[in-house]
């Protein structure tokens, strides 16, 4: 299930040089629990583009934000390319690889 359909108050937190997704997540029993998901553990930067399966995109990004769309939350930022210059605004739909598993935000491999 796309995690955003069973969550509320979805936003980003920046902590210790990392970007963390925070959400209030609904469990099967309808209990709502606060959860976090370290985006830098699963998202990297490949020559100025977000890359699932990478890591530590935050170190080469600026203006990191979360955009709410009909398709779900979209991570957006300007990322540095291999030449050290920032590319145009990049985006990544988080619901493509993040799911709610009974109140836990999990990465879909």
């Amino acid at each position: 299930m796309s995690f955003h359909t069973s969550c509320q108050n979805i936003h980003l937190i920046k902590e210790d040089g990392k970007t963390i997704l925070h959400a209030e997540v609904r469990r099967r029993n309808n209990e709502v629990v606060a959860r976090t998901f370290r985006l830098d553990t699963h998202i990297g930067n490949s020559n100025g583009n977000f890359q699932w399966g990478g890591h530590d995109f935050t170190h080469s990004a600026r203006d990191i934000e979360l955009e709410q769309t009909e398709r779900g939350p979209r991570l957006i930022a300007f990322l540095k390319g291999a030449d050290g210059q920032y590319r145009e605004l990049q985006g990544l739909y988080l619901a493509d690889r993040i799911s709610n598993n009974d109140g836990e935000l999990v990465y879909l491999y």
Side-chain angles (χ1 to χ4, degrees), residues 79-91:
L79 301 174
K80 282 186 182 179
D83 61 2
Q85 300 297 312
Y86 285 100
R87 294 182 40 125
E88 64 275 1
L89 188 66
Q90 300 297 306

Side-chain angles (χ1 to χ4, degrees), residues 92-104:
L92 187 71
Y93 289 99
L94 297 181
D96 287 352
R97 293 282 182 101
I98 300 174
S99 182
N100 173 5
N101 184 8
D102 194 26
E104 297 295 331

Side-chain angles (χ1 to χ4, degrees), residues 44-50 57-62 77-88 90:
N45 174 356
S46 177
N47 194 26
N49 295 293
F50 284 116
F57 78 91
T58 299
H59 297 293
S60 59
R62 67 176 171 84
F78 294 96
L79 301 174
K80 282 186 182 179
D83 61 2
Q85 300 297 312
Y86 285 100
R87 294 182 40 125
E88 64 275 1
Q90 300 297 306

